[in-house]
Every structure is written in C-alpha cells, then in structure tokens.
C-alpha cells in the first residue's frame, strides 16, 4: 500500500509532527474521591526530528525549474501596473459596457468565475472554461490551445472576440479609452516616450504588467524553502505520491503546471472528447487533442475542471487523471493524500486594495 511504501521516506517524527500520546492514569497516582473527576496524565509531544533532507530535496526539485525557453520578464513600471489594474476592471472595454476581464476572471475568487463556461457579450457562452489568471505569467503560452505566446497577446484577444467582449476592433477600443481624460493621463504616465500612448498594444502591455503581479504564495512554497512542517503528514504523503505516480511529468515547475502541452487521454482514450485543442491553433494533426497543461496552484478553488469545465470536484478529477493520463486506478487512500497535497497549493490572494 502507498502509506506503507512511504514510511522509509517520511515517518511521523521526520515530518516534524509531534505525536500526542493517549490519556492514561499514572500507577502511583492516588485514587480520586468519588465526587472528583479523574485527572488524565498526558505525555508531552515528542520534539520534531529533522526530515530526511535528501528525500525532501528530491521531491522539491520538480518544482524549481523554469519553463523551457522562458524569456526574462519585462521591466514593468508602477504606472503600467496601476493602469493595467484599472483596465482589468473596466467594463467599457466591452461593446455593451457590461463585461470586464474581472467578470470571468474574478480576482477575489482566485482568478475564475467557477462556471463551466463563462457569460460573455449578451450572455453568450464560449466552448472552453475560463482559466485562472493567477500565476499565469509562468505559463509557456496562454489559452487552452496556446494560441497566444505571451500575456500581452492574450490580453488583446477577449476584447475583440465576438462571444466575449465583442469590441468591433482596435480603433474602437482606442477611441473609447481616448474619450476619458483620466485614461489619457494614465496612458501618458505609463508610456511617456510614446508619441501615441493610447493604443490597443499599450493597453495589452499594461494588462500584462498587472497580471504579472498576480501571484499566490502558499504553504507549499514555505515547504520548498525548508519549512517542512508547513505540510501535514497527509500532504507530504500526497506530495510523494504526486511525484512517484508521474504527475510531475506534466505538472512541474514553479506554477505546478503550465510548462507544456499534453494530450488529454494519453494512456487511454478520453471519452467523448470533441475539442481539437491545440490543433485549432497550429493546424498540425499531431496536436489534435493536446491542451496546455493548467497550473495546479489554487486548484482547490478553481473548479470546475478541464477545458470544458465538465468535472465538478477535485477527487473525481484526480481519479480521471490517474486513469487516462497515467493508466492507474488510484485507491481511496491515494486519492485522499493527493487531494490533501493539492489543497496545500491554495495560496494567499494579494491585498484587497490591489485586486479590487
């Protein structure tokens, strides 16, 4: 069984967890009077032992490497970030002035709207689930099919998408922003060297600058930094299972995912899969059924799951990935530990004044 197999890696003491002994009465203690309750003697918790540093380092190594070919992040300015924050919440970037980026990627709900398919222009729904914007700067590409190589390229797409924000074109976006004095002033501050600061391209750069600030440090980061008691014994068992069962083949790097494209149904054909995935972007038949691997940070909070939002709960998602991606039927205890580990990836949202 998984739990027994883990003992050479992590004992309770090695996990830094004190063991609380059961209550017992000392044999030398006097018998209490009938009217007085018996007092139980409790042994103090054993001092935590130092974890096996080699084992921990081996587990942690899967989450340090950067995505392949990752370029250095741009030197965003405070003015660009502040402008991007405004634009992210701006419904006037949509045709009917009723949909903003935050509509589908709620920053107070971990960057999603918790709907299978989001509501866009005139209530239309697209064909794919809205992924979280938190930690997206660590992704190898944007959108499920990876059609946008950068956050800047991604930011332009929804504004002109007829199902999402439905703006007629770049000139319409620029005219809308130029009609508001505060925006013209903020664009000048954000792009002071540009002859024409208010452009769609600059709006996308500002949005990307803001989104690069959207990170969610978690207890898992404290564990990676050496605070091994930051994860419980079940979470550490789940981490070990996550690595040894092969989950890190796809879900690796600082974002625990987002670094590659993978076929849905790698080992066994995924049932009723009609979405062509990355093929839609590349028209390469070899990319049919491939999707950008999502980040697992905050996965406890970002359901429903998959490109179509068809899976409602995390344990079911874990079982499906075990079967179709790894060829394994996971036992209940394994699923419990894996889910426990995944919940440790839930991080802290930025301060309310930064995301409201």
């Amino acid at each position: 069984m998984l739990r027994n197999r883990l003992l050479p890696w992590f004992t309770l003491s090695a996990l830094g967890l004190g063991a609380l002994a059961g209550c017992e009465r000392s044999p030398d203690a006097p018998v209490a009077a009938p009217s007085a309750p018996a007092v139980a003697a409790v042994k103090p918790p054993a001092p935590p032992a130092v974890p096996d540093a080699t084992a921990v380092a081996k587990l942690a190594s899967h989450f340090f490497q950067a995505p392949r070919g990752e370029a250095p992040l741009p030197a965003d300015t405070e003015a660009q970030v502040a402008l991007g924050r405004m634009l992210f919440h701006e419904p006037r970037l949509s045709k009917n002035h009723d949909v903003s980026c935050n509509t589908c990627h709620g920053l107070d709900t971990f960057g999603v709207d918790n709907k299978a398919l989001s509501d866009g222009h005139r209530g239309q729904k697209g064909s794919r689930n809205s992924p979280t914007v938190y930690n997206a700067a660590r992704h190898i590409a944007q959108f499920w099919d990876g059609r946008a190589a950068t956050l800047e390229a991604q930011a332009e797409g929804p504004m002109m998408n007829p199902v999402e924000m439905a703006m007629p074109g770049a000139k319409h976006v620029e005219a809308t922003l130029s009609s508001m004095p505060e925006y013209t002033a903020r664009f000048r501050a954000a792009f002071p060297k540009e002859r024409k600061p208010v452009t769609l391209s600059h709006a996308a750069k500002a949005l990307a600058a803001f989104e690069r600030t959207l990170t969610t440090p978690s207890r898992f980061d404290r564990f990676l930094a050496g605070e091994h008691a930051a994860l419980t014994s079940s979470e550490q068992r789940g981490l070990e299972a996550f690595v040894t069962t092969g989950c890190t083949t796809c879900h690796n790097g600082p974002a625990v995912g987002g670094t590659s494209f993978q076929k849905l149904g790698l080992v066994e054909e995924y049932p009723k899969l009609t979405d062509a995935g990355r093929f839609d972007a590349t028209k390469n038949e070899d990319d049919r059924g491939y999707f950008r691997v999502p980040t697992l940070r905050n996965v406890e909070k970002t359901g429903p799951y998959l490109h179509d939002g068809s899976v409602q709960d995390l344990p079911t998602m874990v079982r499906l990935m075990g079967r179709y991606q790894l060829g394994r039927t996971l036992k209940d205890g394994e699923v419990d530990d894996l889910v426990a580990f995944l919940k440790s990836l839930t991080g802290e949202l930025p301060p309310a004044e930064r995301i409201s």
Side-chain angles (χ1 to χ4, degrees):
M1 293 179 64
L2 180 63
R3 295 173 186 267
N4 293 332
R5 181 164 56 81
L6 296 172
L7 290 178
W9 286 62
F10 296 108
T11 63
L12 285 176
S13 60
L15 292 171
L17 302 176
L20 184 64
C23 296
E24 60 183 70
R25 188 175 66 183
S26 170
D28 299 324
V31 178
S35 58
V39 178
V42 179
K43 293 181 181 180
V50 177
D52 184 334
T54 301
V56 171
K58 185 176 180 180
L59 293 174
S61 65
H62 296 274
F63 307 101
F64 288 128
Q65 69 269 27
R68 294 187 296 274
E70 182 182 78
L73 296 179
D76 302 318
T77 67
E78 291 184 10
Q80 290 169 351
V81 172
L83 172 60
R85 173 174 167 265
M86 290 182 64
L87 293 172
F88 194 90
H89 292 273
E90 182 54 79
R92 288 170 289 188
L93 289 177
S94 65
K95 185 175 182 179
N96 282 0
H97 295 185
D98 58 354
V99 178
S100 72
C101 301
N102 195 69
T103 301
C104 302
H105 304 282
L107 296 185
D108 58 351
T109 53
F110 290 88
V112 299
D113 58 7
N114 298 120
K115 298 178 181 179
L117 302 174
S118 298
D119 298 313
H121 178 62
R122 294 184 175 178
Q124 297 179 87
K125 294 183 183 296
S127 60
R128 290 177 181 157
N129 176 261
S130 296
T132 179
V133 291
Y134 280 107
N135 307 294
R138 290 290 189 178
H139 292 170
I140 192 172
Q142 306 299 319
F143 296 114
W144 282 98
D145 57 14
R147 63 185 181 274
T150 64
L151 285 174
E152 287 82 355
Q154 185 279 329
E156 291 189 18
M159 284 185 257
M160 262 66 71
N161 188 308
V163 175
E164 297 183 54
M165 301 172 83
M167 289 293 259
K171 291 183 178 180
H172 196 90
V173 173
E174 293 166 1
T176 299
L177 293 171
S178 297
S179 70
M180 294 175 272
E182 182 172 2
Y183 271 123
T184 57
R186 286 184 176 270
F187 270 89
R188 282 196 300 270
F191 303 98
K193 296 181 181 180
E194 300 294 335
R195 183 180 62 83
K196 184 183 177 183
V198 182
T199 66
L200 175 63
S201 174
H202 290 158
K205 287 181 179 180
L207 282 164
F210 172 63
E211 289 183 22
R212 278 188 278 272
T213 71
L214 300 177
T215 59
T216 53
S218 67
R219 288 188 294 114
F220 181 57
D221 295 295
R222 302 208 309 269
F223 175 85
L224 294 179
E227 187 185 334
H228 301 131
L231 298 188
T232 67
S233 58
S234 177
E235 290 166 348
Q236 291 203 33
R237 287 196 304 268
L239 169 58
E240 201 270 348
F242 191 82
V243 172
T244 58
T245 57
C247 303
T248 49
T249 302
C250 300
H251 294 284
N252 53 53
V256 197
T259 63
S260 63
F261 296 92
Q262 188 54 271
K263 181 177 176 59
L264 180 59
L266 180 64
V267 176
E268 180 180 343
E269 183 178 354
Y270 198 84
K272 301 179 180 179
L273 178 61
T274 58
D275 193 321
R278 185 151 174 72
F279 171 82
D280 288 344
T282 67
K283 305 307 178 185
N284 183 343
E285 193 62 37
D286 291 339
D287 289 333
R288 187 177 293 277
Y290 278 71
F291 298 87
R292 192 209 62 212
V293 176
T295 175
L296 293 184
R297 285 186 176 269
N298 307 308
V299 67
E300 173 192 11
K301 304 290 188 180
T302 57
Y305 307 107
L306 284 184
H307 62 283
D308 57 358
S310 59
V311 180
Q312 294 297 316
D313 65 277
L314 194 52
T316 298
M317 191 71 254
V318 169
R319 293 181 190 277
L320 289 172
M321 290 297 96
R323 175 178 175 179
Y324 292 101
Q325 302 306 112
L326 301 172
R328 292 195 52 177
T329 300
L330 297 172
K331 299 178 180 179
D332 291 345
E334 292 177 301
V335 173
D336 290 344
D337 287 339
L338 284 165
V339 170
F341 164 64
L342 293 175
K343 289 183 177 180
S344 77
L345 301 176
T346 300
E348 301 173 11
L349 294 178
E353 60 270 18
R354 279 183 51 202
I355 61 175
S356 62

